[in-house]
Amino acid sequence: MDFNENRPIYIQVADAILKKIQTGELMPGDKLASVRELAKEYKVNPNTISKSQQELEATGIFETRRGMGVFVVGDENIIKNTMNLYIKKRVEETRLEYELLGIGIEELIELLEEVKYDDDIKSK
């Protein structure tokens, strides 16, 4: 995984794990790989994975079962609602970051549309 130096690695790992839910690689009730396995997979320190897991548990999508590990919650409605809230939180952080740079929401939307258009061209 290539990391963006402008965002904390533990957040990027948490986002990558959430993406596994969005793509169906992780399903409701599935067990998350161990800290050591995830550290090896993402090539990061186990402490980074632990921090990512704390972030994920704070979303409500994952739960720790003492002695068993970390699991995706079994309720799909909780997953869907929590994913939407998590995404909105990230969007708000991005909006605030660009606002500090003097870029308003309209300009940010234009930039996002340009990036999408560029991605569409690259994928053809």
Side-chain angles (χ1 to χ4, degrees):
M1 180 172 172
D2 293 326
F3 293 106
N4 177 339
E5 63 186 50
N6 297 321
R7 292 183 64 219
I9 292 174
Y10 79 95
I11 294 288
Q12 293 178 66
V13 170
D15 288 349
I17 293 170
L18 286 173
K19 189 172 183 178
K20 288 182 177 187
I21 293 174
Q22 290 175 316
T23 62
E25 190 176 335
L26 279 174
M27 302 296 290
D30 282 355
K31 182 179 180 185
L32 194 60
S34 73
V35 169
R36 290 179 194 266
E37 290 170 333
L38 290 170
K40 192 174 183 181
E41 177 182 344
Y42 292 105
K43 297 181 176 106
V44 297
N45 186 296
N47 292 331
T48 302
I49 297 299
S50 293
K51 196 164 183 180
S52 295
Q53 285 183 341
Q54 290 171 356
E55 176 79 8
L56 293 168
E57 281 188 71
T59 68
I61 297 177
F62 291 85
E63 60 187 0
T64 297
R65 297 181 193 160
R66 188 171 272 170
M68 297 178 68
V70 179
F71 291 81
V72 179
V73 296
D75 187 329
E76 290 186 33
N77 288 327
I78 290 174
I79 293 171
K80 182 179 178 181
N81 292 336
T82 306
M83 289 288 272
N84 286 337
L85 290 172
Y86 186 81
I87 291 167
K88 285 179 183 178
K89 178 182 172 187
R90 295 284 173 252
V91 168
E92 178 63 8
E93 289 171 357
T94 300
R95 185 192 66 77
L96 290 172
E97 180 181 337
Y98 280 87
E99 190 176 272
L100 290 172
L101 296 172
I103 297 172
I105 190 73
E106 294 83 13
E107 190 175 353
L108 181 58
I109 290 169
E110 288 175 18
L111 290 169
L112 289 169
E113 288 173 348
E114 285 178 26
V115 169
K116 183 194 177 312
Y117 180 73
D118 289 347
D119 286 346
D120 288 343
I121 291 172
K122 290 177 190 173
S123 65
K124 291 181 180 178

